[in-house]
Amino acid sequence: KYDEKAAKKVWKEDTSAVMDRVIEILEKENDFSAANLQEKVKGWLTSEGIGFGKVMQPFRLSLVGAMQGPDVFEIAATIGKEETLSRVKKAQQSL
């Protein structure tokens, strides 16, 4: 389940397309450590000039259904690649 108020606030019209790119980045990674994921995603955000909130908030919502919790990259590393990708894809379909 997703926090409805948070979903309305952070999941915009173009969020699914942005999350497609996050999925592409994550699918390429064999090193699913928090540090590596952070480096890859934040590097992409910086190179594209995309605001962190535009990606990190929907990413968090996808993973835990709410806007609070541990570091999003720690969550991804803990639940693993397959579950992380599954949750992001589920959020795209549900939100």
Side-chain angles (χ1 to χ4, degrees):
K1 294 185 176 183
Y2 303 99
D3 178 303
E4 283 185 44
K5 191 175 179 182
K8 286 180 184 176
K9 183 178 179 183
V10 304
W11 204 273
K12 306 294 182 195
E13 230 178 84
D14 63 340
T15 301
S16 257
V18 172
M19 296 311 289
D20 278 339
R21 185 64 181 113
V22 172
I23 289 169
E24 287 176 26
I25 292 166
L26 298 177
E27 284 177 334
K28 291 178 186 174
E29 292 309 311
N30 292 321
D31 175 359
F32 222 71
S33 67
N36 185 59
L37 296 177
Q38 181 172 354
E39 178 185 326
K40 299 297 183 187
V41 173
K42 287 189 173 182
W44 165 67
L45 291 173
T46 302
S47 72
E48 295 292 320
I50 298 171
F52 286 86
K54 186 170 185 164
V55 174
M56 301 313 295
Q57 290 177 338
F59 191 29
R60 175 180 297 284
L61 186 65
S62 298
L63 296 183
V64 298
M67 296 311 298
Q68 62 272 8
D71 177 80
V72 72
F73 298 108
E74 291 291 340
I75 295 167
T78 300
I79 64 175
K81 183 176 186 174
E82 190 175 315
E83 184 65 19
T84 296
L85 291 168
S86 172
R87 290 185 188 191
V88 173
K89 290 173 184 177
K90 180 182 177 218
Q92 286 181 302
Q93 294 170 353
S94 302
L95 297 170

